[in-house]
Amino acid sequence: MKKISVTILFCITLTVNAQNYRISFEGTGESTTVNSVRVENLNSGATLTLNGNDILHLTQATDIYSVENKNSSGIKIYPNPINENSLMEINVPVAGEAVLTVFDLTGRQLFQKQNYLEKNGIEFTLSGFKYGLYLISVKGSNYHLSKQLLSVAKQGGTISIEKEGDGISSVVRKKSESKGAEGTIDMPYTNGNVLKFTGISGNYSTVITDIPGADKTLVFTFIACTDGDANNYPVVKIGTQTWMAENLKYLPAVVGPGTGSSKTPYYYVYGYDGTVVATAKATANYTTYGVLYNWPAAMAGSASSTANPSGVKGVCPTGWHLPSNAEWTELVDYLGGASVAGGKLKEIGTTHWVIPIVGATNETGFTALPGGVRLVNGNFLNIGNSTGWWSTTESDATYAWYHGILTNSSALNSSSYGYKRGGMSVRCVRD
């Protein structure tokens, strides 16, 4: 019987006649230095972290070609599909520095290694790939090689690419740890995707959301936002207002949900029934969702305010204040009305919100999380399903205005019937 040899060609994306964008970063305000930038594609879920002096290169894939290379340069992987281990041979057209990167199907970067590659073939051992399809990219100064890898492994681990041959000196470069001279970092991008940029400068953190359509420089305005417990908060500008981009975590004292009052200030951490502050702060709910405050605690002894701005510092950090109902209304109006505002503030995905998640885009960078509430009957309720924030505006001796989001709605709901003795979250606005 005649033996038939069959070659399977894998296809990958190649940028052809596409408009790619280069994004650089600067700082202003409290600091002009950008230490690092976290980039999140809110549509695809891809994320990476780069140095503040790096340039983000958004690459758009518009065509396909076969990577089965018929010349001397290229990537060969055998076996492919991989189960536990495979060998990868790289032949580059010219010797020099190269960056080896592994992406998943969403374009999320999983691994990167910077190398000096000799022109002769170099072999590596691949391991740690869990079940799925991956793209391996090798980019030099004047070439870009790519290869798809299919893993059929039942269990994965930590992705590892280790040299077998000679001629390579390598340094693993994790984006969250990379430092040094300016570099250009690639990230797959589709026109119209919303990117969330979080710029870090020491204790300062600023969020910007953007839909790139050209080369640009993003300028992070760094603003101090530090509470009485020395917690530092990211901030985001929405319209003319600057908001905290996380819930407040200031916790001078704590009680269990069974203790409540419409006059005495009380502080709660969802799921914690005790009075030890350190223990409450050690919980995952405190770290993720912050503190629940009754209205007296949020106001810190101040009288009700309907003004815009409220003029009530309340429990907020210095230079910040608790928003009035009018300030929440300004936010709602800027976002196009109450029916859609909640979705524009809500974090995307099921990491914190439970299904169904309706209307979530987080296009503002506000990143609303479902921290739940403390009910007047002495129970916690609805973590994962809802969140609510206090305003400075009371309705009467029993109730105050609050604003909230539900997982199954894109609306930002407002109500004057928030029991003052209930527990809700706090977001502050810059003075």
Side-chain angles (χ1 to χ4, degrees):
M1 180 179 291
K2 188 175 181 179
K3 189 175 181 179
I4 301 175
S5 176
V6 179
T7 300
I8 300 175
L9 301 183
F10 288 92
C11 291
I12 65 168
T13 57
L14 170 66
T15 303
V16 178
N17 298 323
Q19 179 63 56
N20 299 331
Y21 308 127
R22 293 178 180 271
I23 313 295
S24 58
F25 309 97
E26 293 181 0
T28 189
E30 301 285 345
S31 175
T32 58
T33 300
V34 182
N35 297 131
S36 65
V37 180
R38 177 175 170 80
V39 187
E40 302 171 62
N41 188 316
L42 298 182
N43 299 92
S44 71
T47 64
L48 62 81
T49 302
L50 58 155
N51 289 332
N53 59 350
D54 285 339
I55 295 173
L56 177 66
H57 182 212
L58 299 175
T59 60
Q60 301 185 58
T62 61
D63 203 352
I64 60 174
Y65 80 107
S66 170
V67 299
E68 188 70 21
N69 200 292
K70 297 177 175 60
N71 300 313
S72 59
S73 60
I75 302 173
K76 297 178 182 179
I77 300 175
Y78 44 92
N80 189 0
I82 183 177
N83 190 340
E84 293 182 358
N85 300 288
S86 281
L87 284 178
M88 177 175 67
E89 180 182 323
I90 301 176
N91 289 274
V92 297
V94 293
E97 291 291 335
V99 177
L100 189 156
T101 310
V102 178
F103 299 97
D104 66 14
L105 277 182
T106 69
R108 183 166 59 100
Q109 180 180 300
L110 304 177
F111 176 93
Q112 188 168 83
K113 199 170 190 176
Q114 185 171 334
N115 315 277
Y116 183 89
L117 294 179
E118 298 290 356
K119 189 174 180 179
N120 57 300
I122 305 299
E123 287 189 342
F124 301 86
T125 298
L126 308 179
S127 62
F129 289 80
K130 68 180 181 180
Y131 186 89
L133 189 62
Y134 301 85
L135 176 65
I136 298 179
S137 164
V138 178
K139 187 173 182 180
S141 60
N142 60 354
Y143 65 88
H144 190 179
L145 309 175
S146 301
K147 186 78 171 179
Q148 280 194 343
L149 172 67
L150 176 64
S151 174
V152 295
K154 294 182 179 180
Q155 291 183 338
T158 301
I159 291 177
S160 174
I161 301 180
E162 297 296 333
K163 180 190 64 138
E164 290 291 324
D166 296 325
I168 182 168
S169 59
S170 61
V171 177
V172 175
R173 185 187 183 202
K174 294 181 181 178
K175 296 302 175 190
S176 60
E177 299 171 355
S178 60
K179 297 182 180 180
E182 174 186 305
T184 299
I185 311 301
D186 291 343
M187 185 178 195
Y189 179 72
T190 301
N191 268 335
N193 284 176
V194 180
L195 299 186
K196 177 185 173 185
F197 300 88
T198 304
I200 307 294
S201 181
N203 290 330
Y204 306 120
S205 178
T206 298
V207 175
I208 297 175
T209 55
D210 189 58
I211 303 176
D215 294 350
K216 64 174 61 179
T217 298
L218 290 181
V219 180
F220 295 102
T221 301
F222 292 115
I223 300 167
C225 187
T226 306
D227 68 21
D229 287 341
N231 296 307
N232 297 291
Y233 298 91
V235 305
V236 61
K237 187 174 183 180
I238 307 175
T240 61
Q241 299 172 312
T242 299
W243 290 79
M244 289 171 51
E246 288 181 0
N247 290 344
L248 190 66
K249 295 180 178 179
Y250 177 59
L251 189 65
V254 66
V255 294
T259 302
S261 172
S262 59
K263 295 181 179 180
T264 302
Y266 287 117
Y267 311 82
Y268 311 93
V269 172
Y270 195 106
Y272 178 71
D273 189 2
T275 59
V276 181
V277 170
T279 304
K281 287 183 175 181
T283 65
N285 285 339
Y286 170 83
T287 301
T288 303
Y289 302 108
V291 175
L292 300 176
Y293 304 85
N294 68 358
W295 195 71
M299 294 291 287
S302 297
S304 172
S305 172
T306 61
N308 184 359
S310 71
V312 175
K313 178 180 182 296
V315 75
C316 294
T318 299
W320 295 74
H321 64 270
L322 197 66
S324 65
N325 189 55
E327 289 177 275
W328 279 104
T329 299
E330 178 182 338
L331 176 65
V332 168
D333 291 344
Y334 176 79
L335 296 179
S339 64
V340 296
K344 294 179 180 181
L345 300 174
K346 189 190 302 182
E347 182 192 55
I348 297 173
T350 59
T351 301
H352 301 106
W353 292 94
V354 299
I355 296 174
I357 311 166
V358 176
T361 68
N362 198 26
E363 61 195 72
T364 59
F366 189 87
T367 313
L369 300 180
V373 296
R374 181 258 175 192
L375 298 175
V376 296
N377 65 3
N379 293 309
F380 295 118
L381 185 70
N382 275 352
I383 198 167
N385 287 279
S386 71
T387 187
W389 301 279
W390 286 118
S391 82
T392 64
T393 307
E394 69 179 358
S395 177
D396 54 33
T398 302
Y399 303 105
W401 282 87
Y402 77 95
H403 297 258
I405 297 175
L406 300 173
T407 189
N408 61 355
S409 173
S410 62
L412 178 63
N413 302 301
S414 63
S415 175
S416 61
Y417 292 101
Y419 281 95
K420 291 181 179 180
R421 64 181 184 271
M424 294 193 204
S425 300
V426 162
R427 290 283 182 110
C428 303
V429 181
R430 190 189 183 200
D431 293 346

